[in-house]
């Protein structure tokens, strides 16, 4: 049986997308761990008002989050809104509802260790100003108001919560 380069590349991409660790955090280019307010993801937010965004990889590139003091059934799913520049979001606890154009699946990690969606590491931060708190965006429509941000997957070994 012969495989084309495209078939092999697609197979490798599928394996990569499925290889998110059981538990992980995301670390931005400057070394900051992403934090959350329970709805969105941030770099540089205050750790007294925001929790570390500890994520869990699931089937088909599904990624979930459970708040530090949340019950296990109050998990939330990470989503992006395809073909847009919009904040990376978390669903409401106990709900899988996403905005129109939202996608819950397809998250992965590439060979460089970057967090991806659909094989693309298209994440960005809002603007270039002096505010140290930066919201994380999915950057599919591209805009000069946003700056690309590499998000590295950092596995949390022996993590249970």
């Amino acid at each position: 049986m012969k495989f084309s380069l495209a078939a092999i590349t697609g197979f490798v991409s599928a394996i990569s997308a499925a290889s998110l660790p059981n538990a992980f955090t995301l670390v931005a280019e400057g070394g900051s761990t992403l934090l959350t307010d329970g709805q969105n993801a941030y770099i540089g937010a205050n750790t007294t008002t925001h929790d570390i965004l500890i994520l869990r990889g699931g089937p088909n590139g599904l990624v979930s989050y459970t708040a530090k003091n949340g019950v296990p059934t109050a998990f939330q799913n990470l989503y992006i809104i395809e073909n847009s520049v919009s904040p990376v979001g978390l669903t409401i606890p106990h709900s899988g509802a996403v905005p129109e154009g939202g996608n819950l699946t397809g998250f992965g990690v590439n060979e460089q260790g970057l967090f991806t969606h659909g094989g693309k590491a298209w994440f960005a931060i809002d603007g270039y100003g002096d505010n140290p708190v930066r919201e994380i965006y999915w950057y599919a429509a591209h805009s000069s108001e946003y700056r690309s941000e590499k998000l590295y997957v950092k596995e949390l070994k022996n993590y249970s919560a």
Side-chain angles (χ1 to χ4, degrees):
M1 181 180 288
K2 293 184 179 181
F3 292 100
S4 69
L5 181 57
I8 293 170
T9 302
F11 181 71
V12 170
S13 294
I15 292 172
S16 286
S19 64
L20 281 170
N22 180 48
F24 63 98
T25 60
L26 297 173
V27 178
E29 290 179 81
S32 296
T33 300
L34 267 59
L35 303 175
T36 185
D37 61 359
Q39 296 178 350
N40 301 102
Y42 301 90
I43 298 169
N46 188 327
T47 57
T48 60
T49 58
H50 292 70
D51 292 328
I52 294 174
L53 184 63
I54 298 175
L55 301 167
R56 292 194 173 274
N60 301 317
L62 188 70
V63 173
S64 64
Y65 165 78
T66 303
K68 184 169 46 177
N69 297 319
V71 297
T73 59
F75 69 90
Q76 299 168 260
N77 290 312
L78 191 71
Y79 68 87
I80 57 98
I81 299 176
E82 296 180 326
N83 304 317
S84 72
V85 175
S86 56
V88 172
L90 291 165
T91 60
I92 296 169
H94 304 289
S95 169
V98 294
E100 185 176 336
N103 190 324
L104 298 169
T105 61
F107 291 100
V109 57
N110 67 16
E111 301 81 34
Q112 293 81 35
L114 295 174
F115 191 56
T116 64
H117 184 272
K120 297 171 180 76
W122 290 351
F123 295 95
I125 56 174
D126 54 335
Y128 293 88
D130 295 333
N131 187 352
V133 178
R134 301 291 185 172
E135 188 166 9
I136 302 297
Y137 284 76
W138 174 244
Y139 190 60
H142 301 290
S143 166
S144 62
E145 294 179 30
Y146 299 85
R147 181 169 55 94
S148 177
E149 184 69 34
K150 294 179 182 175
L151 302 177
Y152 293 90
V153 173
K154 180 180 177 188
E155 182 176 9
L156 298 174
K157 296 180 189 254
N158 302 317
Y159 178 80
S160 63

